[in-house]
Protein backbone atom coordinates (compact mmCIF):
# COMPACT_ATOMS: atom_id res chain seq x y z
CA UNK A 1 0.00 0.00 0.00
CA UNK A 2 2.76 2.35 1.02
CA UNK A 3 4.70 1.46 -2.12
CA UNK A 4 1.64 2.18 -4.24
CA UNK A 5 1.24 5.54 -2.56
CA UNK A 6 4.92 6.34 -3.17
CA UNK A 7 4.51 5.36 -6.81
CA UNK A 8 1.46 7.59 -7.18
CA UNK A 9 3.29 10.53 -5.65
CA UNK A 10 6.28 9.90 -7.91
CA UNK A 11 4.02 9.69 -10.98
CA UNK A 12 2.15 12.88 -10.21
CA UNK A 13 5.45 14.62 -9.47
CA UNK A 14 6.95 13.60 -12.82
CA UNK A 15 3.69 14.47 -14.62
CA UNK A 16 3.62 17.96 -13.16
CA UNK A 17 7.35 18.33 -13.93
CA UNK A 18 6.61 17.37 -17.56
CA UNK A 19 3.72 19.84 -17.75
CA UNK A 20 5.87 22.63 -16.31
CA UNK A 21 8.59 21.77 -18.83
CA UNK A 22 6.06 21.90 -21.69
CA UNK A 23 4.64 25.21 -20.55
CA UNK A 24 8.14 26.60 -20.33
CA UNK A 25 8.89 25.54 -23.94
CA UNK A 26 5.58 26.98 -25.18
CA UNK A 27 6.19 30.33 -23.53
CA UNK A 28 9.78 30.37 -24.80
CA UNK A 29 8.51 29.74 -28.36
CA UNK A 30 5.93 32.48 -27.93
CA UNK A 31 8.54 34.99 -26.69
CA UNK A 32 10.99 34.18 -29.47
CA UNK A 33 8.29 34.23 -32.17
CA UNK A 34 7.15 37.66 -31.00
CA UNK A 35 10.76 38.84 -31.05
CA UNK A 36 11.20 37.74 -34.69
CA UNK A 37 7.73 38.83 -35.88
CA UNK A 38 8.63 42.21 -37.38
CA UNK A 39 11.56 40.62 -39.27
CA UNK A 40 9.28 37.91 -40.68
CA UNK A 41 7.01 40.62 -42.10
CA UNK A 42 10.01 42.53 -43.48
CA UNK A 43 11.38 39.38 -45.21
CA UNK A 44 7.97 38.53 -46.61
CA UNK A 45 7.59 42.01 -48.12
CA UNK A 46 11.09 41.98 -49.58
CA UNK A 47 10.43 38.60 -51.22
CA UNK A 48 7.01 39.75 -52.39
CA UNK A 49 8.58 42.71 -54.14
CA UNK A 50 11.28 40.51 -55.70
CA UNK A 51 9.44 37.40 -56.94
CA UNK A 52 11.04 34.77 -59.18
CA UNK A 53 9.45 32.07 -61.33
CA UNK A 54 9.87 28.32 -60.72
CA UNK A 55 13.40 26.93 -61.27
CA UNK A 56 14.64 30.54 -61.56
CA UNK A 57 14.59 31.45 -57.84
CA UNK A 58 18.29 32.39 -57.86
CA UNK A 59 18.16 35.55 -55.71
CA UNK A 60 15.51 34.06 -53.44
CA UNK A 61 17.82 31.09 -52.86
CA UNK A 62 20.73 33.39 -51.96
CA UNK A 63 18.53 35.49 -49.65
CA UNK A 64 17.32 32.41 -47.74
CA UNK A 65 20.77 30.78 -47.61
CA UNK A 66 22.41 33.93 -46.19
CA UNK A 67 19.92 34.05 -43.33
CA UNK A 68 20.35 30.35 -42.52
CA UNK A 69 24.15 30.60 -42.65
CA UNK A 70 24.01 33.58 -40.27
CA UNK A 71 22.08 31.37 -37.87
CA UNK A 72 24.97 28.89 -37.98
CA UNK A 73 23.05 26.09 -39.70
CA UNK A 74 24.53 23.54 -42.14
CA UNK A 75 23.27 24.91 -45.45
CA UNK A 76 23.14 23.33 -48.92
CA UNK A 77 22.10 25.42 -51.93
CA UNK A 78 21.27 24.43 -55.50
CA UNK A 79 19.19 21.45 -54.42
CA UNK A 80 16.71 20.65 -57.23
CA UNK A 81 18.24 23.61 -59.11
CA UNK A 82 17.37 26.56 -56.83
CA UNK A 83 16.35 24.98 -53.54
CA UNK A 84 17.92 25.34 -50.10
CA UNK A 85 18.19 22.63 -47.45
CA UNK A 86 19.49 23.34 -43.97
CA UNK A 87 20.03 21.22 -40.88
CA UNK A 88 19.67 22.24 -37.28
CA UNK A 89 21.04 19.70 -34.83
CA UNK A 90 19.27 20.10 -31.52
CA UNK A 91 20.93 19.74 -28.11
CA UNK A 92 18.73 16.78 -27.15
CA UNK A 93 18.33 13.38 -28.78
CA UNK A 94 15.27 12.87 -30.95
CA UNK A 95 13.82 12.26 -34.42
CA UNK A 96 14.44 14.03 -37.73
CA UNK A 97 11.58 16.32 -38.64
CA UNK A 98 11.42 18.21 -41.92
CA UNK A 99 9.66 21.56 -42.42
CA UNK A 100 8.96 22.57 -46.01
CA UNK A 101 8.26 25.91 -47.68
CA UNK A 102 7.79 26.38 -51.43
CA UNK A 103 9.48 29.46 -52.88
CA UNK A 104 8.28 30.10 -56.46
CA UNK A 105 6.11 32.90 -57.86
CA UNK A 106 3.76 32.96 -60.87
CA UNK A 107 3.39 34.76 -64.22
CA UNK A 108 0.63 37.08 -62.95
CA UNK A 109 0.51 40.91 -63.05
CA UNK A 110 -0.07 42.33 -59.58
CA UNK A 111 -2.96 44.79 -59.37
CA UNK A 112 -3.05 45.29 -55.59
CA UNK A 113 -1.95 48.76 -54.51
CA UNK A 114 0.58 48.09 -51.75
CA UNK A 115 3.98 49.73 -51.11
CA UNK A 116 5.76 46.43 -51.77
CA UNK A 117 3.85 45.63 -54.97
CA UNK A 118 5.78 43.62 -57.56
CA UNK A 119 6.65 45.26 -60.86
CA UNK A 120 9.07 42.49 -61.84
CA UNK A 121 8.98 40.88 -65.28
CA UNK A 122 10.85 37.79 -66.47
CA UNK A 123 11.22 35.37 -69.34
CA UNK A 124 8.77 32.45 -69.32
CA UNK A 125 9.09 30.01 -72.24
CA UNK A 126 10.41 32.76 -74.51
CA UNK A 127 7.79 35.31 -73.47
CA UNK A 128 8.30 38.34 -71.24
CA UNK A 129 5.76 38.05 -68.41
CA UNK A 130 4.92 39.92 -65.21
CA UNK A 131 5.83 38.02 -62.03
CA UNK A 132 3.94 37.99 -58.74
CA UNK A 133 3.81 35.92 -55.56
CA UNK A 134 0.17 35.24 -56.39
CA UNK A 135 -0.03 32.04 -54.33
CA UNK A 136 1.51 33.44 -51.14
CA UNK A 137 4.70 31.37 -51.20
CA UNK A 138 6.50 34.56 -50.05
CA UNK A 139 4.76 34.12 -46.68
CA UNK A 140 5.83 30.46 -46.53
CA UNK A 141 9.48 31.46 -47.01
CA UNK A 142 9.31 34.16 -44.32
CA UNK A 143 7.54 31.86 -41.83
CA UNK A 144 10.16 29.14 -42.30
CA UNK A 145 13.04 31.65 -42.03
CA UNK A 146 11.44 32.85 -38.77
CA UNK A 147 11.01 29.27 -37.54
CA UNK A 148 14.69 28.59 -38.25
CA UNK A 149 15.65 31.66 -36.22
CA UNK A 150 13.44 30.79 -33.24
CA UNK A 151 14.61 27.15 -33.14
CA UNK A 152 18.26 28.22 -33.49
CA UNK A 153 17.86 30.47 -30.45
CA UNK A 154 16.40 27.49 -28.55
CA UNK A 155 18.91 25.04 -30.02
CA UNK A 156 19.92 23.42 -26.72
CA UNK A 157 16.30 22.53 -26.00
CA UNK A 158 15.50 21.19 -29.49
CA UNK A 159 14.99 17.41 -29.57
CA UNK A 160 16.61 15.72 -32.58
CA UNK A 161 17.28 17.29 -35.95
CA UNK A 162 15.23 19.78 -37.93
CA UNK A 163 15.60 19.77 -41.70
CA UNK A 164 14.47 23.02 -43.35
CA UNK A 165 13.43 22.46 -46.97
CA UNK A 166 12.96 25.50 -49.21
CA UNK A 167 11.54 23.98 -52.38
CA UNK A 168 11.56 25.57 -55.84
CA UNK A 169 8.92 25.27 -58.52
CA UNK A 170 5.89 23.97 -56.64
CA UNK A 171 3.61 25.34 -59.35
CA UNK A 172 5.33 23.10 -61.88
CA UNK A 173 8.62 23.65 -63.72
CA UNK A 174 8.64 25.47 -67.06
CA UNK A 175 8.42 23.41 -70.27
CA UNK A 176 10.07 20.00 -70.08
CA UNK A 177 12.34 20.86 -67.15
CA UNK A 178 12.44 18.71 -64.06
CA UNK A 179 11.73 20.38 -60.75
CA UNK A 180 9.71 20.75 -57.57
CA UNK A 181 9.23 18.13 -54.87
CA UNK A 182 9.90 15.10 -57.15
CA UNK A 183 13.35 16.45 -58.10
CA UNK A 184 14.18 17.28 -54.46
CA UNK A 185 13.29 13.69 -53.51
CA UNK A 186 15.33 12.34 -56.44
CA UNK A 187 18.31 14.35 -55.16
CA UNK A 188 17.92 12.71 -51.74
CA UNK A 189 16.30 15.42 -49.62
CA UNK A 190 14.38 12.84 -47.57
CA UNK A 191 17.60 10.91 -46.77
CA UNK A 192 20.84 11.68 -44.87
CA UNK A 193 19.55 12.06 -42.30
CA UNK A 194 16.38 10.12 -43.08
CA UNK A 195 13.27 12.21 -42.42
CA UNK A 196 10.85 10.67 -39.88
CA UNK A 197 8.00 13.13 -40.55
CA UNK A 198 7.44 16.15 -42.76
CA UNK A 199 5.26 19.21 -42.19
CA UNK A 200 4.12 22.04 -44.42
CA UNK A 201 1.56 24.82 -44.53
CA UNK A 202 -0.23 26.93 -47.11
CA UNK A 203 -1.44 30.48 -46.56
CA UNK A 204 -5.00 31.04 -47.74
CA UNK A 205 -6.56 34.26 -49.08
CA UNK A 206 -10.00 32.87 -48.19
CA UNK A 207 -9.40 31.99 -44.53
CA UNK A 208 -9.42 34.74 -41.89
CA UNK A 209 -6.03 35.83 -40.61
CA UNK A 210 -4.92 33.95 -37.48
CA UNK A 211 -7.11 30.92 -38.20
CA UNK A 212 -5.81 27.44 -38.95
CA UNK A 213 -7.59 24.53 -40.61
CA UNK A 214 -6.52 20.92 -41.08
CA UNK A 215 -7.88 17.62 -42.29
CA UNK A 216 -6.75 14.10 -41.37
CA UNK A 217 -6.42 11.62 -44.25
CA UNK A 218 -6.89 12.84 -47.82
CA UNK A 219 -6.79 16.64 -47.80
CA UNK A 220 -5.91 17.97 -51.26
CA UNK A 221 -6.58 16.38 -54.62
CA UNK A 222 -4.32 14.52 -56.99
CA UNK A 223 -3.86 16.37 -60.26
CA UNK A 224 -3.42 14.71 -63.65
CA UNK A 225 -3.27 16.44 -67.00
CA UNK A 226 -4.65 14.60 -70.00
CA UNK A 227 -4.49 14.98 -73.77
CA UNK A 228 -6.90 13.17 -76.08
CA UNK A 229 -6.11 13.18 -79.78
CA UNK A 230 -8.91 12.22 -82.15
CA UNK A 231 -7.90 11.44 -85.70
CA UNK A 232 -10.80 11.25 -88.18
CA UNK A 233 -10.82 11.66 -91.95
CA UNK A 234 -10.67 15.10 -93.50
CA UNK A 235 -13.27 16.05 -96.07
CA UNK A 236 -15.34 18.86 -97.60
CA UNK A 237 -17.71 20.58 -95.17
CA UNK A 238 -20.57 20.08 -97.61
CA UNK A 239 -20.38 16.26 -97.61
CA UNK A 240 -19.61 14.90 -94.14
CA UNK A 241 -20.58 11.32 -95.14
CA UNK A 242 -17.35 11.13 -97.13
CA UNK A 243 -15.17 11.62 -94.03
CA UNK A 244 -15.00 10.98 -90.27
CA UNK A 245 -15.69 14.15 -88.29
CA UNK A 246 -13.26 14.42 -85.31
CA UNK A 247 -15.23 17.35 -83.85
CA UNK A 248 -18.36 15.20 -83.45
CA UNK A 249 -16.29 12.38 -81.97
CA UNK A 250 -14.52 14.87 -79.67
CA UNK A 251 -17.74 16.42 -78.37
CA UNK A 252 -19.14 12.97 -77.60
CA UNK A 253 -15.99 12.22 -75.63
CA UNK A 254 -16.36 15.52 -73.71
CA UNK A 255 -19.95 14.67 -72.73
CA UNK A 256 -19.16 11.09 -71.78
CA UNK A 257 -16.21 12.09 -69.59
CA UNK A 258 -18.73 13.91 -67.37
CA UNK A 259 -20.79 10.74 -67.03
CA UNK A 260 -17.73 9.00 -65.57
CA UNK A 261 -18.08 11.50 -62.70
CA UNK A 262 -21.87 11.47 -62.44
CA UNK A 263 -22.68 7.81 -63.24
CA UNK A 264 -19.63 5.66 -62.57
CA UNK A 265 -17.77 6.99 -59.51
CA UNK A 266 -18.95 6.48 -55.93
CA UNK A 267 -19.25 10.14 -54.95
CA UNK A 268 -20.16 9.27 -51.37
CA UNK A 269 -16.58 8.05 -50.99
CA UNK A 270 -14.76 11.07 -52.39
CA UNK A 271 -15.34 13.73 -55.05
CA UNK A 272 -13.98 13.54 -58.60
CA UNK A 273 -13.52 16.39 -61.08
CA UNK A 274 -12.84 16.00 -64.80
CA UNK A 275 -12.43 19.25 -66.71
CA UNK A 276 -11.85 19.60 -70.44
CA UNK A 277 -10.17 22.98 -70.66
CA UNK A 278 -8.97 23.01 -74.27
CA UNK A 279 -10.60 21.78 -77.50
CA UNK A 280 -8.66 22.61 -80.64
CA UNK A 281 -9.72 21.63 -84.13
CA UNK A 282 -10.26 22.96 -87.62
CA UNK A 283 -9.13 25.96 -89.70
CA UNK A 284 -12.01 26.89 -92.02
CA UNK A 285 -15.81 26.80 -92.11
CA UNK A 286 -16.03 24.50 -95.12
CA UNK A 287 -13.43 21.90 -94.15
CA UNK A 288 -14.10 19.04 -91.78
CA UNK A 289 -10.64 18.68 -90.23
CA UNK A 290 -8.59 15.56 -89.74
CA UNK A 291 -7.87 16.01 -86.05
CA UNK A 292 -9.28 17.34 -82.79
CA UNK A 293 -7.19 17.71 -79.62
CA UNK A 294 -8.74 17.87 -76.16
CA UNK A 295 -6.82 18.75 -73.01
CA UNK A 296 -7.86 18.91 -69.41
CA UNK A 297 -7.32 17.97 -65.77
CA UNK A 298 -8.51 15.24 -63.41
CA UNK A 299 -8.84 15.72 -59.65
CA UNK A 300 -9.44 12.90 -57.16
CA UNK A 301 -9.09 12.50 -53.40
CA UNK A 302 -8.44 8.78 -53.34
CA UNK A 303 -5.51 7.15 -55.10
CA UNK A 304 -7.53 4.05 -56.09
CA UNK A 305 -10.21 6.26 -57.61
CA UNK A 306 -7.47 8.19 -59.41
CA UNK A 307 -6.27 5.00 -61.14
CA UNK A 308 -9.86 3.91 -61.86
CA UNK A 309 -10.72 7.25 -63.46
CA UNK A 310 -7.64 6.99 -65.71
CA UNK A 311 -8.77 3.58 -66.97
CA UNK A 312 -12.33 4.79 -67.55
CA UNK A 313 -11.19 7.85 -69.49
CA UNK A 314 -9.02 5.68 -71.75
CA UNK A 315 -11.86 3.20 -72.22
CA UNK A 316 -14.60 5.76 -72.96
CA UNK A 317 -12.44 7.77 -75.38
CA UNK A 318 -11.17 4.71 -77.26
CA UNK A 319 -14.60 3.05 -77.55
CA UNK A 320 -16.30 6.23 -78.77
CA UNK A 321 -13.52 6.62 -81.34
CA UNK A 322 -13.90 2.98 -82.44
CA UNK A 323 -17.65 3.34 -82.91
CA UNK A 324 -16.94 6.11 -85.43
CA UNK A 325 -13.91 4.53 -87.07
CA UNK A 326 -11.69 7.28 -85.66
CA UNK A 327 -8.32 6.72 -84.01
CA UNK A 328 -8.01 7.98 -80.47
CA UNK A 329 -4.86 8.40 -78.39
CA UNK A 330 -5.01 9.21 -74.69
CA UNK A 331 -2.08 10.50 -72.65
CA UNK A 332 -2.36 11.10 -68.92
CA UNK A 333 0.43 12.72 -66.92
CA UNK A 334 0.35 12.76 -63.12
CA UNK A 335 1.33 16.18 -61.79
CA UNK A 336 0.67 15.58 -58.09
CA UNK A 337 -0.58 12.78 -55.86
CA UNK A 338 -3.35 13.04 -53.25
CA UNK A 339 -1.98 15.15 -50.37
CA UNK A 340 -2.51 12.71 -47.54
CA UNK A 341 -2.26 13.73 -43.89
CA UNK A 342 -1.17 10.84 -41.69
CA UNK A 343 -4.07 10.52 -39.18
CA UNK A 344 -1.84 9.56 -36.22
CA UNK A 345 0.51 12.48 -36.93
CA UNK A 346 -2.45 14.87 -37.22
CA UNK A 347 -3.93 13.84 -33.87
CA UNK A 348 -0.50 14.11 -32.24
CA UNK A 349 -0.03 17.64 -33.58
CA UNK A 350 -3.50 19.21 -33.24
CA UNK A 351 -2.48 20.43 -29.73
CA UNK A 352 0.48 22.26 -31.35
CA UNK A 353 -1.94 24.12 -33.66
CA UNK A 354 -4.18 24.95 -30.69
CA UNK A 355 -1.22 26.23 -28.73
CA UNK A 356 -0.11 28.44 -31.66
CA UNK A 357 -3.47 29.81 -32.79
CA UNK A 358 -5.84 29.41 -29.80
CA UNK A 359 -8.56 26.76 -29.58
CA UNK A 360 -11.25 28.97 -31.13
CA UNK A 361 -9.13 29.52 -34.25
CA UNK A 362 -8.44 25.88 -35.11
CA UNK A 363 -10.97 23.82 -37.02
CA UNK A 364 -11.25 20.90 -39.38
CA UNK A 365 -11.50 21.79 -43.06
CA UNK A 366 -13.26 20.21 -45.99
CA UNK A 367 -11.59 18.48 -48.90
CA UNK A 368 -10.01 20.72 -51.48
CA UNK A 369 -9.79 19.92 -55.18
CA UNK A 370 -6.69 22.11 -55.42
CA UNK A 371 -3.43 20.17 -55.58
CA UNK A 372 0.04 20.36 -53.98
CA UNK A 373 3.32 18.74 -54.91
CA UNK A 374 3.94 18.41 -51.14
CA UNK A 375 2.01 15.16 -51.73
CA UNK A 376 5.20 13.53 -53.09
CA UNK A 377 6.96 13.97 -49.73
CA UNK A 378 4.05 12.13 -48.12
CA UNK A 379 5.03 9.00 -50.04
CA UNK A 380 8.39 8.96 -48.26
CA UNK A 381 7.41 9.80 -44.66
CA UNK A 382 4.28 10.52 -42.61
CA UNK A 383 3.20 14.02 -43.59
CA UNK A 384 0.96 16.81 -42.32
CA UNK A 385 -0.04 19.83 -44.43
CA UNK A 386 -2.36 22.49 -43.02
CA UNK A 387 -3.85 25.87 -43.95
CA UNK A 388 -3.11 29.22 -42.36
CA UNK A 389 -5.41 32.24 -42.75
CA UNK A 390 -4.33 35.38 -44.57
CA UNK A 391 -7.67 37.09 -45.28
CA UNK A 392 -8.12 40.47 -43.55
CA UNK A 393 -10.51 40.25 -40.56
CA UNK A 394 -14.12 41.00 -41.36
CA UNK A 395 -13.73 40.64 -45.14
CA UNK A 396 -16.52 38.89 -47.03
CA UNK A 397 -15.08 35.54 -48.11
CA UNK A 398 -17.22 35.51 -51.27
CA UNK A 399 -15.49 38.69 -52.46
CA UNK A 400 -11.93 37.51 -51.87
CA UNK A 401 -9.58 37.32 -54.87
CA UNK A 402 -8.56 33.67 -55.38
CA UNK A 403 -4.95 32.48 -55.47
CA UNK A 404 -3.21 32.94 -58.86
CA UNK A 405 -5.15 36.14 -59.68
CA UNK A 406 -3.94 39.80 -60.00
CA UNK A 407 -5.91 40.98 -56.93
CA UNK A 408 -4.69 38.17 -54.65
CA UNK A 409 -3.89 39.68 -51.25
CA UNK A 410 -2.52 38.35 -47.98
CA UNK A 411 -2.75 40.14 -44.62
CA UNK A 412 0.69 39.42 -43.13
CA UNK A 413 -0.07 40.68 -39.61
CA UNK A 414 -0.29 37.19 -38.07
CA UNK A 415 2.46 35.16 -39.75
CA UNK A 416 3.79 34.48 -36.23
CA UNK A 417 0.99 31.90 -35.87
CA UNK A 418 2.75 29.85 -38.57
CA UNK A 419 6.12 30.26 -36.84
CA UNK A 420 4.70 29.20 -33.47
CA UNK A 421 2.87 26.22 -35.00
CA UNK A 422 6.01 24.85 -36.72
CA UNK A 423 8.18 25.35 -33.60
CA UNK A 424 5.64 23.76 -31.27
CA UNK A 425 5.22 20.82 -33.65
CA UNK A 426 8.96 20.11 -33.56
CA UNK A 427 8.76 19.72 -29.77
CA UNK A 428 5.42 17.88 -29.69
CA UNK A 429 6.47 15.38 -32.37
CA UNK A 430 9.36 14.19 -30.23
CA UNK A 431 6.85 13.10 -27.54
CA UNK A 432 5.61 10.40 -29.89
ZN1 LIG B 1 -0.53 28.00 -56.36
ZN1 LIG C 1 0.73 27.45 -53.56
Amino acid sequence: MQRLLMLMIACSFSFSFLMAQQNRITSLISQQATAVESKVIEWRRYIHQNPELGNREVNTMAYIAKHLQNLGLEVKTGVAKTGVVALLKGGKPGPVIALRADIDALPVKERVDIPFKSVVTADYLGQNVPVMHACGHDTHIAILMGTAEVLSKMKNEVPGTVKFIFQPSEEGPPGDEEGGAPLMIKEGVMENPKVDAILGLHISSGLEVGKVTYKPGAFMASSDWFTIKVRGKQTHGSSPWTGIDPIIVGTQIVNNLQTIVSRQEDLTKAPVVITVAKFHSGVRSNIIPEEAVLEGTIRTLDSKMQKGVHEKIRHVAKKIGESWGAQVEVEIETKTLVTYNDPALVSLLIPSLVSAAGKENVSESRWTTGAEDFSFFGEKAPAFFFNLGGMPKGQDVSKVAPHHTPDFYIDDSMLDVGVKAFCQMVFDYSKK
Side-chain angles (χ1 to χ4, degrees):
M1 184 66 190
Q2 208 177 7
R3 273 171 66 186
L4 186 68
L5 202 66
M6 291 284 283
L7 191 69
M8 281 169 69
I9 292 169
C11 278
S12 83
F13 178 75
S14 58
F15 180 71
S16 44
F17 175 76
L18 208 68
M19 286 301 287
Q21 172 74 357
Q22 273 173 31
N23 291 340
R24 190 177 66 79
I25 294 291
T26 302
S27 66
L28 214 58
I29 289 172
S30 173
Q31 273 169 29
Q32 294 291 355
T34 306
V36 83
E37 199 182 343
S38 61
K39 283 202 270 181
V40 170
I41 296 171
E42 198 183 300
W43 298 328
R44 182 263 161 162
R45 294 184 177 184
Y46 174 82
I47 297 157
H48 190 88
Q49 208 165 6
N50 297 280
E52 291 173 299
L53 293 172
N55 278 5
R56 305 289 182 274
E57 306 95 327
V58 179
N59 295 326
T60 309
M61 172 175 76
Y63 188 75
I64 296 165
K66 191 172 168 220
H67 173 68
L68 301 174
Q69 276 151 359
N70 287 342
L71 294 175
L73 305 186
E74 261 177 55
V75 182
K76 223 198 273 179
T77 56
V79 183
K81 299 182 196 263
T82 43
V84 184
V85 179
L87 280 184
L88 181 144
K89 288 181 180 147
K92 294 191 172 152
V96 179
I97 190 158
L99 306 175
R100 175 271 206 173
D102 42 6
I103 67 170
D104 53 326
L106 285 157
V108 173
K109 188 170 171 59
E110 180 151 26
R111 211 154 47 192
V112 189
D113 194 16
I114 41 173
F116 50 97
K117 173 181 178 166
S118 163
V119 288
V120 170
T121 60
D123 177 81
Y124 180 66
L125 302 173
Q127 221 187 321
N128 190 256
V129 294
V131 185
M132 174 191 176
H133 266 293
C135 201
H137 299 178
D138 48 343
T139 64
H140 305 168
I141 300 170
I143 288 170
L144 199 53
M145 284 169 70
T147 304
E149 180 154 337
V150 170
L151 291 176
S152 297
K153 293 223 167 104
M154 298 172 68
K155 196 175 169 175
N156 294 338
E157 312 270 2
V158 171
T161 301
V162 186
K163 196 181 267 197
F164 298 93
I165 301 177
F166 291 87
Q167 180 213 301
S169 213
E170 190 283 326
E171 303 283 0
D176 295 334
E177 288 178 31
E178 277 191 281
L183 187 58
M184 287 210 116
I185 293 166
K186 199 168 150 187
E187 293 187 8
V189 77
M190 296 298 276
E191 307 297 326
N192 295 324
K194 189 170 169 45
V195 172
D196 294 307
I198 182 160
L199 312 174
L201 64 76
H202 209 300
I203 199 91
S204 169
S205 69
L207 178 67
E208 199 170 81
V209 68
K211 293 199 183 294
V212 171
T213 61
Y214 67 90
K215 191 173 187 315
F219 171 40
M220 298 179 79
S222 60
S223 166
D224 305 290
W225 287 18
F226 65 83
T227 304
I228 301 175
K229 279 190 189 145
V230 180
R231 185 175 280 266
K233 190 176 166 215
Q234 187 158 333
T235 190
H236 198 289
S238 66
S239 40
W241 54 88
T242 59
I244 299 170
D245 185 345
I247 294 177
I248 292 294
V249 179
T251 51
Q252 293 195 357
I253 291 173
V254 172
N255 285 331
N256 277 279
L257 292 187
Q258 293 314 317
T259 62
I260 293 176
V261 177
S262 66
R263 307 288 87 176
Q264 297 185 49
E265 289 303 314
D266 181 354
L267 298 179
T268 63
K269 203 167 147 197
V272 173
V273 174
I274 302 176
T275 293
V276 177
K278 269 165 108 176
F279 190 137
H280 286 179
S281 187
V283 285
R284 238 182 100 90
S285 297
N286 60 356
I287 302 173
I288 290 174
E290 184 169 86
E291 196 176 67
V293 180
L294 288 63
E295 287 178 48
T297 187
I298 308 158
R299 304 297 164 109
T300 65
L301 280 132
D302 178 290
S303 48
K304 275 196 195 127
M305 284 168 88
Q306 181 188 13
K307 286 191 193 88
V309 169
H310 291 188
E311 278 166 30
K312 285 168 191 156
I313 288 179
R314 289 182 205 281
H315 184 74
V316 162
K318 287 238 160 95
K319 291 293 171 191
I320 290 174
E322 258 173 43
S323 73
W324 283 89
Q327 282 171 351
V328 173
E329 267 172 51
V330 180
E331 268 174 47
I332 301 174
E333 191 189 344
T334 294
K335 297 281 182 185
T336 75
L337 310 173
V338 174
T339 300
Y340 185 82
N341 285 332
D342 184 82
L345 186 62
V346 173
S347 42
L348 179 71
L349 298 182
I350 288 172
S352 327
L353 295 178
V354 169
S355 139
K359 200 170 190 312
E360 65 286 3
N361 292 317
V362 179
S363 59
E364 199 169 322
S365 70
R366 294 194 293 185
W367 274 310
T368 137
T369 48
E372 246 295 330
D373 83 350
F374 181 81
S375 53
F376 289 99
F377 295 118
E379 272 207 314
K380 302 289 168 194
F384 183 17
F385 194 72
F386 57 96
N387 275 340
L388 179 67
M391 179 182 81
K393 274 203 172 96
Q395 193 171 328
D396 180 354
V397 71
S398 67
K399 299 204 170 85
V400 158
H403 289 232
H404 295 202
T405 66
D407 297 311
F408 173 76
Y409 176 75
I410 289 296
D411 176 339
D412 59 17
S413 62
M414 291 186 79
L415 298 181
D416 62 312
V417 174
V419 174
K420 285 179 195 162
F422 272 156
C423 293
Q424 190 69 46
M425 283 169 150
V426 166
F427 284 91
D428 291 348
Y429 179 67
S430 72
K431 288 189 266 171
K432 193 170 79 108

